Amino acid sequence: MAGAVGMPERETPIFSSNNVRPRLDVYVWDMDETLVLLNSLLKSSYAEAFNGLKDVQKGVEIGRMWENLILQTCDDYFFYEQIENYNKPFLDSLAQYDDGSDLSDYDFNKDELGAPQDDANKRKLAYRHRVIAQKYIQGLRNILDQETIKHWDELYDKTDEYTDRWLSSARTFLKECLGEDEDAVSSIASSDTSYNSTNVKHVNVLVTSGSLIPSLVKCLLFRLDSLISHGNVYSSWEVGKIQCFRWIKERFNHPNVRFCVFGDGWEECEAAEIMRWPFVKIDPRPGKLHRFPGLTLTTVSHYFSVVYGRPNNENEDG
């Protein structure tokens, strides 16, 4: 794997070495208009689909408030102004350049990160990626000031109410996909290196067409961070979704692994078709089955069975 640009340097160990190999289901998620409604709020297409039942301008205003909060958080806490032009497909893509130096007294405003993309600048970028990963694990409630947290909580609740619980039900479904209580999921996500065969048979992975840092911040702001670890967030901005899917397949390479893709767009649909993975098309319009709330594990198990057949143990969930 070494030598390919952006390629993971090692496969993620899926199971312990006790030769117990339960099935692992990998849920590959798109973000925008799938787990998160934002573009359709800004462009008013979400509200317009309800034929007058939703206040269109209110939706646009909610979208703008999210846009401002995302950008402010990116710039103030996640180095976005410095690294906007150096998007990478995942946080560990430059790990080989990180020498592990203590960064507690490091001045990120004076290290002159910039062109060319030589080893020295890659190391500076890798340092930032390390700090971003640490902040993701830490969580925004330990980073933001109380006034911003209050605004964030109110905006989340307002958005959830306006979208008929889209955000909270999508989050609940992610939790159901993992088949674990949230505290266990959070501790596993923070380690981000292995999946114990005795208690984990499911994992959520995000592949977004947005750039990496804003996508990580959106995971935090939309309360997805305990359900999708930072190491499981991929940006297809430059490399495309099919390349990200191939990395994911190699990373979770095991005979008993199954994949399922969720999204609203043609790119993830096409990539899933190339990979021969089932694809669930999310549709935010009212009355559609594949939306939140509405989507169930029973429905997803049907998609799995069409591609992979029924599992030997019919009592296994998902």
Side-chain angles (χ1 to χ4, degrees):
M1 292 185 185
V5 176
M7 196 68 179
E9 292 200 345
R10 60 185 183 276
E11 294 176 358
T12 297
I14 308 300
F15 306 114
S16 59
S17 58
N18 57 6
N19 294 321
V20 177
R21 294 183 173 182
R23 189 184 79 232
L24 177 74
D25 291 339
V26 180
Y27 302 95
V28 183
W29 294 91
D30 178 44
M31 176 176 277
D32 291 309
E33 310 314 309
T34 300
L35 294 174
V36 170
L37 298 179
L38 182 55
N39 293 333
S40 61
L41 296 179
L42 288 165
K43 297 177 179 178
S44 73
S45 58
Y46 173 80
E48 289 169 356
F50 284 80
N51 296 317
L53 296 177
K54 295 283 185 184
D55 184 332
V56 175
Q57 188 55 38
K58 181 179 180 180
V60 173
E61 290 171 357
I62 288 173
R64 287 174 178 166
M65 285 190 283
W66 275 116
E67 198 172 44
N68 291 335
L69 181 58
I70 291 164
L71 289 173
Q72 179 185 343
T73 306
C74 285
D75 289 343
D76 291 353
Y77 300 98
F78 292 87
F79 308 111
Y80 193 51
E81 284 185 306
Q82 297 179 1
I83 64 178
E84 181 178 2
N85 295 323
Y86 307 107
N87 185 61
K88 298 297 176 184
F90 49 90
L91 277 182
D92 283 345
S93 59
L94 295 174
Q96 62 184 331
Y97 296 97
D98 189 341
D99 58 12
S101 296
D102 182 359
L103 301 177
S104 55
D105 295 322
Y106 188 88
D107 192 339
F108 287 98
N109 293 316
K110 293 183 178 179
D111 68 351
E112 298 181 347
L113 170 68
Q117 278 293 287
D118 55 16
D119 286 2
N121 278 305
K122 287 178 181 177
R123 184 174 64 253
K124 296 170 188 176
L125 187 55
Y127 286 168
R128 286 162 172 81
H129 281 191
R130 193 208 312 173
V131 172
I132 289 168
Q134 291 169 348
K135 288 184 176 181
Y136 192 98
I137 294 169
Q138 187 179 2
L140 288 181
R141 293 190 184 279
N142 296 309
I143 297 173
L144 302 177
D145 60 69
Q146 289 303 309
E147 183 179 349
T148 304
I149 290 174
K150 182 174 183 293
H151 170 62
W152 167 31
D153 286 341
E154 291 173 350
L155 181 56
Y156 185 96
D157 292 342
K158 184 177 183 179
T159 309
D160 205 37
E161 180 181 4
Y162 181 80
T163 59
D164 305 317
R165 296 189 301 111
W166 186 284
L167 300 182
S168 59
S169 60
R171 189 179 181 282
T172 297
F173 188 75
L174 282 179
K175 185 177 175 182
E176 291 173 356
C177 286
L178 293 173
E180 296 284 340
D181 68 86
E182 190 172 329
D183 290 339
V185 170
S186 182
S187 65
I188 294 160
S190 66
S191 67
D192 196 39
T193 55
S194 64
Y195 303 91
N196 189 309
S197 62
T198 62
N199 61 7
V200 178
K201 294 190 287 188
H202 313 275
V203 62
N204 291 314
V205 180
L206 186 74
V207 180
T208 172
S209 55
S211 54
L212 182 62
I213 304 311
S215 297
L216 288 162
V217 169
K218 285 163 76 172
C219 280
L220 288 160
L221 287 171
F222 287 100
R223 304 179 183 176
L224 304 175
D225 50 306
S226 66
L227 304 170
I228 304 175
S229 68
H230 63 78
N232 289 343
V233 177
Y234 292 77
S235 166
S236 65
W237 183 271
E238 284 93 3
V239 299
K241 293 205 170 180
I242 183 62
Q243 177 62 78
C244 291
F245 285 12
R246 286 170 177 152
W247 285 334
I248 291 165
K249 182 180 180 180
E250 291 184 16
R251 180 179 166 198
F252 295 101
N253 183 26
H254 188 276
N256 292 333
V257 171
R258 308 187 305 175
F259 300 88
C260 188
V261 180
F262 302 80
D264 72 303
W266 65 269
E267 190 183 6
E268 55 264 26
C269 178
E270 184 177 67
E273 185 175 321
I274 292 170
M275 301 297 292
R276 298 183 180 178
W277 295 348
F279 175 72
V280 181
K281 182 174 174 57
I282 302 297
D283 193 337
R285 291 175 297 175
K288 300 298 180 178
L289 292 176
H290 297 160
R291 68 192 309 276
F292 297 110
L295 188 62
T296 67
L297 286 176
T298 301
T299 300
V300 174
S301 69
H302 171 71
Y303 279 87
F304 270 128
S305 65
V306 168
V307 174
Y308 296 100
R310 291 286 179 185
N312 293 330
N313 183 353
E314 291 290 343
N315 294 322
E316 288 186 70
D317 59 344

